[in-house]
Amino acid sequence: MAGLAKARPAGGVAPERPPTARQLFGALPRRRPSGPPGTLLALRTPLPGRIRTLLVLASVAVPLLVWLVLGASGAVEPRFLPAPGAVWTAGVEMARSGELVTDAWATVRRILYGYGLGVAVAVPLGVAMGSFTAARSALEPVSGLLRYLPAAAFTPLLLIWLGIGESPKIALIFIGTVFFNMLMVADAVRQVPLELVNVSYTLGARRGEVLGKVILPYALPGIVDAVRVNFAAAWGLVVVAELVNSQEGLGKRILLAQRFTQTDKIFAILVVIGLIGVTADVALRITRDRIGRWVP
Protein backbone atom coordinates (compact mmCIF):
# COMPACT_ATOMS: atom_id res chain seq x y z
CA MET A 1 0.00 0.00 0.00
CA ALA A 2 1.21 3.44 -0.88
CA GLY A 3 0.43 4.85 2.54
CA LEU A 4 2.62 2.22 4.23
CA ALA A 5 5.53 2.51 1.84
CA LYS A 6 8.75 3.80 3.33
CA ALA A 7 9.59 7.38 2.46
CA ARG A 8 12.50 7.81 0.11
CA PRO A 9 14.71 10.87 -0.16
CA ALA A 10 14.40 13.28 -3.05
CA GLY A 11 15.42 11.70 -6.32
CA GLY A 12 14.25 8.22 -5.27
CA VAL A 13 17.77 7.07 -4.31
CA ALA A 14 18.10 5.26 -0.99
CA PRO A 15 21.01 6.34 1.23
CA GLU A 16 24.06 4.11 1.26
CA ARG A 17 24.51 1.94 4.31
CA PRO A 18 27.74 2.25 6.27
CA PRO A 19 30.16 -0.61 5.78
CA THR A 20 29.93 -3.47 8.24
CA ALA A 21 32.77 -4.72 10.41
CA ARG A 22 33.14 -7.77 8.14
CA GLN A 23 33.61 -5.48 5.11
CA LEU A 24 36.13 -3.27 6.90
CA PHE A 25 38.29 -5.91 8.58
CA GLY A 26 37.49 -9.03 6.59
CA ALA A 27 35.97 -12.28 7.77
CA LEU A 28 37.86 -14.65 10.01
CA PRO A 29 39.19 -17.73 8.24
CA ARG A 30 37.49 -21.01 9.05
CA ARG A 31 39.60 -23.15 11.34
CA ARG A 32 39.20 -26.04 13.66
CA PRO A 33 38.53 -25.04 17.24
CA SER A 34 41.82 -24.62 19.05
CA GLY A 35 42.53 -25.33 22.66
CA PRO A 36 42.82 -22.53 25.21
CA PRO A 37 46.20 -20.73 25.21
CA GLY A 38 48.61 -21.06 28.06
CA THR A 39 48.07 -19.05 31.20
CA LEU A 40 50.96 -16.72 30.43
CA LEU A 41 49.61 -15.67 27.01
CA ALA A 42 45.88 -15.85 27.66
CA LEU A 43 43.98 -12.65 27.05
CA ARG A 44 42.88 -10.83 30.22
CA THR A 45 43.34 -13.91 32.40
CA PRO A 46 44.65 -13.59 35.98
CA LEU A 47 48.10 -15.04 36.55
CA PRO A 48 49.02 -17.32 39.44
CA GLY A 49 50.70 -15.47 42.27
CA ARG A 50 54.09 -17.14 41.76
CA ILE A 51 54.29 -16.30 38.05
CA ARG A 52 53.21 -12.73 38.65
CA THR A 53 55.84 -12.29 41.39
CA LEU A 54 58.55 -13.69 39.12
CA LEU A 55 57.59 -11.32 36.31
CA VAL A 56 57.62 -8.33 38.67
CA LEU A 57 61.05 -9.27 39.98
CA ALA A 58 62.37 -9.87 36.46
CA SER A 59 61.17 -6.44 35.31
CA VAL A 60 63.49 -4.91 37.91
CA ALA A 61 66.32 -7.43 37.92
CA VAL A 62 66.92 -7.60 34.15
CA PRO A 63 67.56 -3.83 33.61
CA LEU A 64 69.69 -3.76 36.77
CA LEU A 65 71.71 -6.74 35.53
CA VAL A 66 72.28 -5.08 32.15
CA TRP A 67 73.41 -1.94 33.96
CA LEU A 68 75.83 -3.96 36.10
CA VAL A 69 77.28 -5.74 33.08
CA LEU A 70 77.77 -2.51 31.13
CA GLY A 71 79.39 -0.84 34.11
CA ALA A 72 81.72 -3.74 34.88
CA SER A 73 82.74 -4.39 31.28
CA GLY A 74 83.67 -0.78 30.55
CA ALA A 75 81.68 -0.87 27.31
CA VAL A 76 80.38 2.61 28.16
CA GLU A 77 82.51 5.35 29.69
CA PRO A 78 81.68 6.01 33.35
CA ARG A 79 81.26 9.67 32.42
CA PHE A 80 78.17 8.70 30.42
CA LEU A 81 76.96 5.64 32.37
CA PRO A 82 78.34 5.33 35.90
CA ALA A 83 78.38 1.93 37.56
CA PRO A 84 75.69 1.15 40.16
CA GLY A 85 78.34 1.19 42.89
CA ALA A 86 79.37 4.72 41.99
CA VAL A 87 75.74 5.83 41.95
CA TRP A 88 75.19 4.28 45.39
CA THR A 89 78.27 6.03 46.77
CA ALA A 90 77.15 9.39 45.37
CA GLY A 91 73.68 8.95 46.85
CA VAL A 92 75.07 8.05 50.28
CA GLU A 93 77.35 11.10 50.24
CA MET A 94 74.46 13.42 49.38
CA ALA A 95 72.31 11.82 52.07
CA ARG A 96 75.00 12.21 54.72
CA SER A 97 75.50 15.87 53.85
CA GLY A 98 71.76 16.47 54.23
CA GLU A 99 71.32 18.03 50.81
CA LEU A 100 69.46 15.01 49.42
CA VAL A 101 66.79 15.11 52.14
CA THR A 102 66.45 18.89 51.89
CA ASP A 103 66.12 18.84 48.11
CA ALA A 104 63.71 15.88 48.13
CA TRP A 105 61.42 17.57 50.66
CA ALA A 106 61.46 20.83 48.68
CA THR A 107 60.39 18.95 45.56
CA VAL A 108 57.72 16.89 47.32
CA ARG A 109 56.34 20.04 48.97
CA ARG A 110 55.93 21.76 45.61
CA ILE A 111 54.14 18.72 44.21
CA LEU A 112 51.83 18.53 47.21
CA TYR A 113 50.84 22.16 46.74
CA GLY A 114 50.61 22.27 42.94
CA TYR A 115 49.17 18.83 42.29
CA GLY A 116 46.97 18.92 45.36
CA LEU A 117 45.45 22.20 44.21
CA GLY A 118 44.96 20.75 40.73
CA VAL A 119 43.15 17.69 42.13
CA ALA A 120 40.97 19.88 44.36
CA VAL A 121 39.84 21.83 41.28
CA ALA A 122 39.72 18.97 38.77
CA VAL A 123 37.67 16.44 40.73
CA PRO A 124 34.55 18.59 41.30
CA LEU A 125 34.64 19.93 37.75
CA GLY A 126 35.23 16.44 36.34
CA VAL A 127 32.32 15.03 38.34
CA ALA A 128 30.12 17.83 37.03
CA MET A 129 31.25 17.18 33.46
CA GLY A 130 30.54 13.47 33.77
CA SER A 131 27.17 13.92 35.47
CA PHE A 132 25.59 16.91 33.74
CA THR A 133 25.44 17.41 29.98
CA ALA A 134 25.36 21.19 30.41
CA ALA A 135 28.64 21.17 32.38
CA ARG A 136 30.23 18.88 29.81
CA SER A 137 29.19 21.17 26.96
CA ALA A 138 30.55 24.23 28.76
CA LEU A 139 33.84 22.82 30.11
CA GLU A 140 34.99 20.01 27.82
CA PRO A 141 35.87 22.13 24.75
CA VAL A 142 38.07 24.58 26.65
CA SER A 143 39.72 21.90 28.80
CA GLY A 144 40.27 19.73 25.74
CA LEU A 145 41.99 22.67 24.04
CA LEU A 146 44.14 23.75 26.99
CA ARG A 147 45.45 20.28 27.73
CA TYR A 148 47.28 20.27 24.40
CA LEU A 149 49.24 23.40 25.29
CA PRO A 150 52.67 22.42 26.67
CA ALA A 151 52.82 23.48 30.29
CA ALA A 152 56.53 24.25 30.09
CA ALA A 153 55.75 26.95 27.52
CA PHE A 154 53.95 28.88 30.28
CA THR A 155 57.18 29.26 32.28
CA PRO A 156 58.12 32.72 30.91
CA LEU A 157 54.59 34.00 31.42
CA LEU A 158 54.42 32.63 34.95
CA LEU A 159 57.70 34.32 35.81
CA ILE A 160 56.30 37.62 34.52
CA TRP A 161 52.96 37.22 36.25
CA LEU A 162 54.01 35.65 39.57
CA GLY A 163 57.67 36.55 40.03
CA ILE A 164 60.55 34.21 40.76
CA GLY A 165 59.45 32.63 44.05
CA GLU A 166 57.53 29.43 44.70
CA SER A 167 54.30 30.60 43.05
CA PRO A 168 55.32 30.03 39.39
CA LYS A 169 56.60 26.52 40.19
CA ILE A 170 53.35 25.56 41.89
CA ALA A 171 51.31 27.18 39.11
CA LEU A 172 53.24 25.24 36.45
CA ILE A 173 52.37 21.92 38.11
CA PHE A 174 48.76 23.04 38.44
CA ILE A 175 48.42 24.04 34.78
CA GLY A 176 50.11 20.89 33.53
CA THR A 177 47.85 18.46 35.42
CA VAL A 178 44.46 20.01 36.13
CA PHE A 179 42.97 19.62 32.63
CA PHE A 180 44.07 15.99 32.24
CA ASN A 181 42.57 15.17 35.63
CA MET A 182 39.32 16.92 34.72
CA LEU A 183 38.80 14.88 31.56
CA MET A 184 39.85 11.56 33.11
CA VAL A 185 37.60 12.10 36.13
CA ALA A 186 34.72 12.92 33.79
CA ASP A 187 35.36 9.68 31.88
CA ALA A 188 35.35 7.73 35.16
CA VAL A 189 32.01 9.26 36.13
CA ARG A 190 30.51 8.47 32.72
CA GLN A 191 31.30 4.79 33.29
CA VAL A 192 28.54 4.62 35.91
CA PRO A 193 25.75 2.49 34.35
CA LEU A 194 22.68 4.51 33.50
CA GLU A 195 20.55 1.67 34.84
CA LEU A 196 21.79 2.41 38.37
CA VAL A 197 20.75 6.04 38.03
CA ASN A 198 17.32 5.16 36.66
CA VAL A 199 16.68 2.57 39.37
CA SER A 200 17.64 5.12 42.03
CA TYR A 201 15.13 7.61 40.68
CA THR A 202 12.51 4.86 40.53
CA LEU A 203 13.09 4.09 44.21
CA GLY A 204 12.50 7.74 45.08
CA ALA A 205 16.04 9.14 45.34
CA ARG A 206 16.57 12.83 44.72
CA ARG A 207 19.21 14.23 42.37
CA GLY A 208 21.66 15.03 45.16
CA GLU A 209 21.23 11.58 46.65
CA VAL A 210 21.86 9.91 43.30
CA LEU A 211 25.00 11.97 42.85
CA GLY A 212 26.35 11.39 46.37
CA LYS A 213 25.23 7.81 47.01
CA VAL A 214 25.30 6.20 43.56
CA ILE A 215 27.51 8.05 41.10
CA LEU A 216 30.37 9.10 43.39
CA PRO A 217 30.82 5.73 45.15
CA TYR A 218 30.79 3.88 41.85
CA ALA A 219 33.23 6.30 40.17
CA LEU A 220 35.55 6.79 43.16
CA PRO A 221 38.05 4.02 42.24
CA GLY A 222 38.30 5.42 38.71
CA ILE A 223 38.84 8.92 40.11
CA VAL A 224 41.66 7.68 42.34
CA ASP A 225 43.17 5.87 39.37
CA ALA A 226 43.10 9.07 37.30
CA VAL A 227 44.87 10.93 40.10
CA ARG A 228 47.45 8.14 40.30
CA VAL A 229 48.18 8.14 36.56
CA ASN A 230 48.58 11.90 36.31
CA PHE A 231 50.79 12.05 39.40
CA ALA A 232 53.73 11.03 37.19
CA ALA A 233 53.22 14.15 35.05
CA ALA A 234 53.55 16.30 38.17
CA TRP A 235 57.04 14.92 38.76
CA GLY A 236 58.14 15.76 35.25
CA LEU A 237 56.82 19.29 35.59
CA VAL A 238 58.37 19.98 38.98
CA VAL A 239 61.83 19.07 37.67
CA VAL A 240 61.33 21.49 34.78
CA ALA A 241 60.12 24.18 37.18
CA GLU A 242 63.13 23.75 39.46
CA LEU A 243 65.57 24.25 36.61
CA VAL A 244 64.58 27.93 36.58
CA ASN A 245 65.82 30.06 39.49
CA SER A 246 65.56 27.53 42.33
CA GLN A 247 67.74 27.41 45.42
CA GLU A 248 66.80 23.85 46.37
CA GLY A 249 65.06 20.86 44.87
CA LEU A 250 65.98 17.67 43.04
CA GLY A 251 65.72 19.40 39.67
CA LYS A 252 68.11 22.11 40.83
CA ARG A 253 70.51 19.44 42.11
CA ILE A 254 70.44 17.72 38.70
CA LEU A 255 71.30 21.01 37.00
CA LEU A 256 74.25 21.60 39.32
CA ALA A 257 75.55 18.07 38.78
CA GLN A 258 75.26 18.49 35.01
CA ARG A 259 77.48 21.57 35.10
CA PHE A 260 80.33 19.53 36.61
CA THR A 261 79.56 16.31 34.65
CA GLN A 262 78.70 14.45 37.84
CA THR A 263 76.59 11.79 36.19
CA ASP A 264 76.76 9.57 39.26
CA LYS A 265 74.87 12.22 41.24
CA ILE A 266 72.36 12.65 38.41
CA PHE A 267 71.63 8.92 38.38
CA ALA A 268 71.36 8.87 42.17
CA ILE A 269 68.78 11.67 42.10
CA LEU A 270 66.84 9.91 39.35
CA VAL A 271 66.74 6.76 41.46
CA VAL A 272 65.40 8.77 44.40
CA ILE A 273 62.69 10.32 42.20
CA GLY A 274 61.75 6.87 40.94
CA LEU A 275 61.51 5.43 44.44
CA ILE A 276 59.34 8.29 45.70
CA GLY A 277 57.09 7.99 42.65
CA VAL A 278 56.70 4.23 42.97
CA THR A 279 55.90 4.57 46.67
CA ALA A 280 53.16 7.09 45.92
CA ASP A 281 51.85 4.92 43.07
CA VAL A 282 51.62 1.84 45.29
CA ALA A 283 49.90 3.85 48.03
CA LEU A 284 47.28 5.12 45.56
CA ARG A 285 46.76 1.62 44.16
CA ILE A 286 46.11 0.27 47.64
CA THR A 287 43.74 3.17 48.34
CA ARG A 288 41.87 2.50 45.11
CA ASP A 289 41.48 -1.21 45.87
CA ARG A 290 40.34 -0.61 49.44
CA ILE A 291 37.72 2.03 48.71
CA GLY A 292 36.40 0.34 45.58
CA ARG A 293 35.58 -3.16 46.75
CA TRP A 294 31.92 -2.73 45.88
CA VAL A 295 32.60 -1.85 42.23
CA PRO A 296 32.47 -4.90 39.90
Side-chain angles (χ1 to χ4, degrees), residues 105-123 158 162 166-179 181 227 230-231 233-235 237-238 241-242:
W105 171 240
T107 299
V108 170
R109 185 178 67 246
R110 289 166 182 144
I111 288 180
L112 291 177
Y113 289 154
Y115 193 64
L117 181 61
V119 170
V121 172
V123 170
L158 293 176
L162 303 176
E166 291 294 304
S167 298
K169 302 175 182 61
I170 295 172
L172 182 65
I173 300 171
F174 174 84
I175 292 174
T177 58
V178 64
F179 301 111
N181 272 327
V227 172
N230 289 318
F231 187 68
W235 275 98
L237 291 168
V238 73
E242 291 176 345

Side-chain angles (χ1 to χ4, degrees), residues 147-273:
R147 74 188 177 103
Y148 284 105
L149 301 180
F154 285 90
T155 302
L157 290 174
L158 293 176
L159 291 174
I160 295 173
W161 294 340
L162 303 176
I164 57 176
E166 291 294 304
S167 298
K169 302 175 182 61
I170 295 172
L172 182 65
I173 300 171
F174 174 84
I175 292 174
T177 58
V178 64
F179 301 111
F180 288 95
N181 272 327
M182 282 176 57
L183 294 173
M184 292 183 67
V185 168
D187 286 338
V189 172
R190 281 195 289 267
Q191 297 301 317
V192 178
L194 187 59
E195 291 81 3
L196 291 180
V197 177
N198 293 334
V199 168
S200 301
Y201 280 129
T202 302
L203 295 176
R206 303 292 180 88
R207 181 175 57 189
E209 293 173 330
V210 173
L211 185 62
K213 296 184 178 182
V214 178
I215 293 178
L216 281 180
Y218 193 100
L220 192 56
I223 293 173
V224 175
D225 219 27
V227 172
R228 178 185 66 84
V229 170
N230 289 318
F231 187 68
W235 275 98
L237 291 168
V238 73
V239 172
V240 173
E242 291 176 345
L243 295 178
V244 181
N245 196 36
S246 293
Q247 302 301 321
E248 56 184 7
L250 295 177
K252 179 65 175 182
R253 192 62 53 187
I254 289 175
L255 181 62
L256 293 175
Q258 180 266 335
R259 291 178 180 175
F260 299 99
T261 323
Q262 296 173 325
T263 52
D264 52 352
K265 287 188 176 183
I266 295 176
F267 271 81
I269 295 170
L270 292 177
V271 170
V272 170
I273 292 175

Side-chain angles (χ1 to χ4, degrees), residues 89-115:
T89 302
V92 170
E93 290 178 356
M94 288 189 295
R96 287 177 178 174
S97 66
E99 62 185 26
L100 186 60
V101 176
T102 302
D103 291 331
W105 171 240
T107 299
V108 170
R109 185 178 67 246
R110 289 166 182 144
I111 288 180
L112 291 177
Y113 289 154
Y115 193 64

